[in-house]
Amino acid sequence: MREAPHLTFDLDAPGVSRGHLLVPGGADRGELSLPVFSLNKGEGPRLLVTGGNHGNELEGPLVARRLIEWLPEEQTCGRIIVVPVLNPLAVEAWSRNTPLDGLNLNRVFPGRADGSVTERIADAVSRVLLPTADTVFDLHSFGPTWHFPPAATTHPIADPDLMARTVRMAEAFNLPLTLVWEYNDTAGMFDILAQNQGKVFVCTEFGGGTVGADNLAIYEAGVRNALIALGLVEGKADYPTFRQQKSGQTLETHPCDDLRSPARGIFEPRCSVLDEVKQGDLIGILHPMDSISTESMDIRAPGTSFVLAIRSGVHVEINEGVALVAGPLKI
Amino acid sequence: MREAPHLTFDLDAPGVSRGHLLVPGGADRGELSLPVFSLNKGEGPRLLVTGGNHGNELEGPLVARRLIEWLPEEQTCGRIIVVPVLNPLAVEAWSRNTPLDGLNLNRVFPGRADGSVTERIADAVSRVLLPTADTVFDLHSFGPTWHFPPAATTHPIADPDLMARTVRMAEAFNLPLTLVWEYNDTAGMFDILAQNQGKVFVCTEFGGGTVGADNLAIYEAGVRNALIALGLVEGKADYPTFRQQKSGQTLETHPCDDLRSPARGIFEPRCSVLDEVKQGDLIGILHPMDSISTESMDIRAPGTSFVLAIRSGVHVEINEGVALVAGPLKI
């Protein structure tokens, strides 16, 4: 008989517990043990915090590790479960997807007990961890070749009450950006599974590119703000400073807000995230590199908007995404 | 008979020329054409500017493209040859090495005419381009998982006169950092080949991590400063602002200044590049991720120094480099 995924400790024990979520082995590899921290202070919100869903977004695991250090001093009620790394195989490879089966963990939820390793991780998380929580923070970032501001995000949700509660929760991070992201490729996302079960799920996007000390402090402050808003921790929320600004805004973006490359070549960013642009402002330049005689091409803002994300200087193919713009939330 | 590498145009023609450096085909693939720009204004310094030596360091190709746009207006004498991308196969793959043969272009100079594609590129550059120049700027950056300040660097050179001229040239970029880098793994570097021929060779390290608009402006200003110092362009040199500072310093670093990870896990940077640290100051933290019960380990400064480079938040193996420190130049 196949072993079922399970925790190595009792979540209902009071106080701090440390152990593992056991993901059973399968045809492709043996059992995986994901380290899990839990702090049970009785009545109150039940929160699950996860990091390392994608293996090249390491801000989440680092903020989760910091959380584990100060929660025992600061958590006053409720239960918080922290899993710093959901996909250790991807994290060790600095790869978005799991190298072993090529799958994106955040597209295979709820997973399969008899699937490949990525599907088995999703299955274990869906069956063992998700039922323990009424609120989930999944700590992502935008990946290595993008600039992205520190943000708390959600996708649009059909249930207006859950949508309103989710946006309020996202705004409580007090990050420079709260984002409602209409996105077509959502099948199999952890978000969708949790929201379909009526849970408040906030996906943070803690920047892109290099993970530095300055930005980690912003991300940690954002999570602390959210814990204060949930009543799990006492203290005063604050807006962390980003690009000399100490305030946040709530925006929405849609599939039509993707700016794509007009040709293959090297993309040169010419603006910064959260810059406000008008129609025709220069966003970036595409330099065809096969010939220096071919003119470089300007990529310009389609209308008044904020630059939400911009690609790093990197070689892109024709029609590959190079920037995302956004407008004020109207949903 | 094997075709020899050659340029598709005459370098001695006056004014602007645009064409290609043809790298002959071999057993592994056909001919490669590297776009080349040349501007010949007669007597004066003969400069070669190259980018894209490593495929995941795209600052160089972008600054080279910008240079090509304004040189026709601004260059007053001499000859400047610009090759934005030395290794298009690596650039298209966003890979340090060439995917086809796995070789690091900057470790195979002077190359081999009958070698694999990376060796054939090195051979073409060594035989066709290098003899045309008395000064070379090879525009690198530190790669995706590091923070590095905008810097002009050289390795120590045995000839004291060439060493002094090279450091002066590097300092003329007026970048936040001029660095003399003692480094063990130098066999096959473009630098060494050029310096052995008595040429002034400066390797810029235009930062690490994400390529953004703010930093590209600093890098471009650095190259313009160097062209002014060479007398190729008229104007006033300036110090570009980096981390709110408008000044530069000259440092040296040695193999013993490498800080390495005490265990495998995720490295958390806790300081920023060019921070001045004293013995015992916290540089970063190594978080073992296999168990949350294993204590995180502090990585501290071995002595008074400047933080030259710091690893991004990324999974590292035991004894992998996580930071580099440096002291004032004494050579």
Side-chain angles (χ1 to χ4, degrees):
Chain A
M1 204 188 85
R2 187 183 299 276
E3 189 189 20
H6 61 277
L7 286 166
T8 59
F9 61 96
D10 177 10
L11 277 182
D12 294 326
V16 170
S17 301
R18 295 167 201 264
H20 290 89
L21 172 65
L22 292 188
V23 180
D28 52 1
R29 62 156 288 146
E31 179 180 271
L32 264 181
S33 292
L34 311 186
V36 177
F37 167 97
S38 169
L39 177 44
N40 184 6
K41 290 253 183 169
E43 288 299 304
R46 288 144 57 96
L47 174 67
L48 171 64
V49 181
T50 52
N53 184 328
H54 291 132
N56 55 4
E57 302 174 5
L58 281 280
E59 291 87 344
L62 288 171
V63 170
R65 277 303 293 235
R66 288 189 177 194
L67 209 57
I68 289 170
E69 273 158 39
W70 53 258
L71 276 180
E73 288 286 313
E74 300 205 22
Q75 185 182 330
T76 56
C77 68
R79 187 174 65 199
I80 306 181
I81 298 171
V82 183
V83 189
V85 172
L86 285 179
N87 192 345
L89 305 179
V91 164
E92 287 171 21
W94 201 57
S95 159
R96 181 173 175 85
N97 293 2
T98 315
L100 192 58
D101 57 16
L103 293 179
N104 177 343
L105 174 58
N106 209 27
R107 294 296 182 281
V108 299
F109 279 90
R112 282 171 44 189
D114 62 350
S116 66
V117 62
T118 311
E119 295 169 308
R120 297 197 303 276
I121 294 172
D123 176 69
V125 171
S126 304
R127 287 204 281 155
V128 180
L129 294 177
L130 191 56
T132 69
D134 40 52
T135 304
V136 181
F137 300 159
D138 192 28
L139 310 180
H140 284 251
S141 49
F142 214 70
T145 69
W146 287 87
H147 288 266
F148 202 85
T153 79
T154 178
H155 302 296
I157 304 167
D159 171 357
D161 173 62
L162 184 60
M163 179 78 209
R165 287 190 291 131
T166 302
V167 171
R168 269 203 307 277
M169 185 76 256
E171 286 178 330
F173 281 73
N174 285 7
L175 285 171
L177 174 66
T178 304
L179 181 69
V180 176
W181 194 334
E182 193 198 338
Y183 190 64
N184 291 333
D185 175 27
T186 56
M189 290 183 86
F190 192 16
D191 321 33
I192 307 302
L193 177 68
Q195 287 161 351
N196 286 346
Q197 296 177 12
K199 297 176 196 291
V200 170
F201 187 108
V202 175
C203 172
T204 62
E205 294 286 354
F206 282 153
T210 342
V211 182
D214 297 348
N215 283 345
L216 284 170
I218 296 178
Y219 310 149
E220 183 179 12
V223 174
R224 182 189 291 266
N225 288 337
L227 296 184
I228 292 168
L230 278 170
L232 287 160
V233 160
E234 285 177 3
K236 196 176 160 305
D238 193 17
Y239 275 105
T241 303
F242 178 71
R243 292 179 67 84
Q244 278 88 57
Q245 287 194 12
K246 226 179 147 64
S247 66
Q249 54 194 325
T250 302
L251 303 178
E252 64 179 37
T253 187
H254 303 275
C256 60
D257 294 324
D258 273 20
L259 305 188
R260 294 180 174 273
S261 178
R264 76 193 296 265
I266 300 183
F267 175 72
E268 175 182 348
R270 276 289 180 118
C271 59
S272 299
V273 291
L274 296 187
D275 279 358
E276 194 168 358
V277 289
K278 307 184 304 296
Q279 186 179 1
D281 282 354
L282 188 61
I283 300 279
I285 303 173
L286 191 282
H287 300 286
M289 299 306 278
D290 297 332
S291 160
I292 285 169
S293 307
T294 310
E295 289 280 323
S296 298
M297 290 164 241
D298 290 348
I299 298 162
R300 295 185 177 276
T304 299
S305 51
F306 293 91
V307 177
L308 181 62
I310 188 154
R311 202 72 186 265
S312 176
V314 70
H315 191 277
V316 293
E317 295 300 322
I318 186 168
N319 208 30
E320 200 172 325
V322 291
L324 272 175
V325 296
L329 180 65
K330 282 174 266 146
I331 289 173
Chain B
M1 205 187 84
R2 190 183 296 276
E3 189 190 19
H6 61 276
L7 285 166
T8 60
F9 61 96
D10 177 10
L11 276 182
D12 294 326
V16 169
S17 302
R18 296 165 202 265
H20 290 88
L21 171 66
L22 291 188
V23 179
D28 53 0
R29 64 155 286 147
E31 180 181 89
L32 264 181
S33 293
L34 312 187
V36 177
F37 167 96
S38 169
L39 178 43
N40 184 5
K41 289 255 183 169
E43 288 299 302
R46 288 144 56 96
L47 174 68
L48 170 64
V49 181
T50 52
N53 184 328
H54 291 133
N56 55 6
E57 302 174 6
L58 282 279
E59 291 87 343
L62 289 170
V63 170
R65 277 304 293 234
R66 288 189 177 195
L67 208 57
I68 289 170
E69 274 159 39
W70 54 259
L71 277 179
E73 289 284 314
E74 301 205 22
Q75 186 183 331
T76 56
C77 68
R79 187 176 64 199
I80 306 180
I81 298 170
V82 183
V83 190
V85 172
L86 286 179
N87 191 346
L89 305 178
V91 164
E92 287 171 20
W94 200 57
S95 159
R96 181 174 175 83
N97 294 0
T98 316
L100 191 58
D101 57 16
L103 293 179
N104 177 343
L105 174 58
N106 209 26
R107 293 297 182 283
V108 300
F109 278 90
R112 283 171 45 186
D114 61 350
S116 67
V117 64
T118 311
E119 296 170 306
R120 296 197 304 276
I121 293 172
D123 176 67
V125 172
S126 304
R127 288 204 281 155
V128 179
L129 294 177
L130 190 55
T132 69
D134 40 50
T135 304
V136 181
F137 300 159
D138 192 28
L139 311 180
H140 284 251
S141 49
F142 213 70
T145 69
W146 287 86
H147 288 266
F148 201 84
T153 79
T154 178
H155 301 297
I157 304 167
D159 172 356
D161 173 62
L162 184 61
M163 179 78 210
R165 286 190 292 130
T166 301
V167 171
R168 270 203 307 277
M169 185 75 255
E171 286 178 331
F173 281 73
N174 284 5
L175 285 170
L177 174 66
T178 304
L179 181 68
V180 176
W181 193 334
E182 192 197 338
Y183 190 65
N184 291 333
D185 175 27
T186 56
M189 290 183 88
F190 192 17
D191 321 33
I192 306 302
L193 176 68
Q195 288 162 351
N196 286 346
Q197 296 178 11
K199 297 176 196 292
V200 170
F201 186 107
V202 174
C203 172
T204 62
E205 295 286 355
F206 283 153
T210 343
V211 183
D214 296 348
N215 283 345
L216 284 170
I218 296 178
Y219 310 150
E220 184 180 12
V223 174
R224 182 190 292 264
N225 289 337
L227 297 184
I228 292 168
L230 278 170
L232 287 161
V233 160
E234 285 178 4
K236 196 178 159 305
D238 192 17
Y239 275 105
T241 303
F242 177 71
R243 293 180 67 85
Q244 277 90 59
Q245 288 193 13
K246 227 178 147 63
S247 66
Q249 54 193 325
T250 302
L251 303 178
E252 64 179 38
T253 187
H254 303 275
C256 60
D257 295 323
D258 273 22
L259 305 188
R260 293 179 175 275
S261 178
R264 75 193 296 266
I266 300 182
F267 176 72
E268 175 182 348
R270 275 292 179 116
C271 60
S272 299
V273 291
L274 296 187
D275 279 358
E276 193 167 358
V277 289
K278 306 182 307 295
Q279 186 180 0
D281 282 354
L282 188 61
I283 300 279
I285 303 174
L286 192 283
H287 300 285
M289 299 306 279
D290 297 333
S291 161
I292 286 170
S293 307
T294 310
E295 290 280 323
S296 297
M297 289 163 242
D298 291 348
I299 298 163
R300 294 184 178 276
T304 299
S305 50
F306 292 92
V307 177
L308 181 62
I310 188 154
R311 201 73 185 265
S312 176
V314 69
H315 191 277
V316 292
E317 294 301 321
I318 186 169
N319 208 32
E320 200 173 326
V322 291
L324 271 176
V325 295
L329 180 65
K330 283 173 265 146
I331 290 173

